[in-house]
Amino acid sequence: MLPEALEKAIEALGLLPGVGPRTAERYAYYLYKNNPKLSESISDALKNLHSGVKTCPKTFALIDSTEEISPLYLDETRDKTTILVVEEPLDIYAIEQTKGFSGVYHVLGGAISPIDGITPDELHIKELVSRVAEDKVKEVIIATNPSVEGESTALLLQKVLGEKYPELKITRLARGLPLGVDLSYADQITLSAALAGRTEL
């Protein structure tokens, strides 16, 4: 029914998470009917994606292929004695946009999930344990997602770090109800966290 080139574009776009057949069709047709330079710029960006990005061997954040260590870690104004632990590299940028954190980061590379076959050994936990000693870390802030997997990972980190460094301060990001959300729409984990973390008025 459709030209082969358009079919292939639809199939390729449909491989992306969250993009169904109809959305893939709309994207492909949009690219076709607009200036070819748009498709070329997207194509060029994707071609350079893997060669232009690599992982920092210290923090496991994403960095330019020309860099050796994350610029955030090398920044002398940052407090290396405070590490904020996240699941994925893009979580760093969410925290950075708040402009409220001046320490450094450590990316685990996911969360413990037996269903998905992700075990503690596949996460960058050993490297975190080593960094605590190397950088004389005073506080580790656990910022895993408020999910069952995130909670399991946080508990394991607390256990591993607490046993190895009894004097280390281990904290967790505060959790609770976001503004504008009806109580009836909140999930059980969020409600439990909000109740446990209630503050005096």
Side-chain angles (χ1 to χ4, degrees), residues 121-198:
D121 291 337
E122 294 178 63
L123 304 178
H124 301 299
I125 295 174
K126 290 177 183 174
E127 294 87 347
L128 174 61
V129 172
S130 298
R131 279 185 66 185
V132 171
E134 289 168 10
D135 292 339
K136 297 179 174 57
V137 174
K138 296 176 183 174
E139 180 182 4
V140 169
I141 305 167
I142 301 173
T144 52
N145 292 323
S147 61
V148 173
E149 295 81 7
E151 292 299 316
S152 299
T153 306
L155 288 172
L156 178 67
L157 289 176
Q158 183 181 4
K159 181 177 183 293
V160 171
L161 291 171
E163 288 177 355
K164 180 80 174 176
Y165 306 105
E167 73 289 349
L168 178 66
K169 183 179 180 183
I170 303 170
T171 58
R172 183 92 161 92
L173 284 187
R175 294 154 293 162
L177 297 166
L179 289 174
V181 171
D182 226 65
L183 276 179
S184 58
Y185 292 108
D187 60 90
Q188 287 184 329
I189 291 176
T190 301
L191 275 175
S192 297
L195 188 58
R198 63 190 184 278

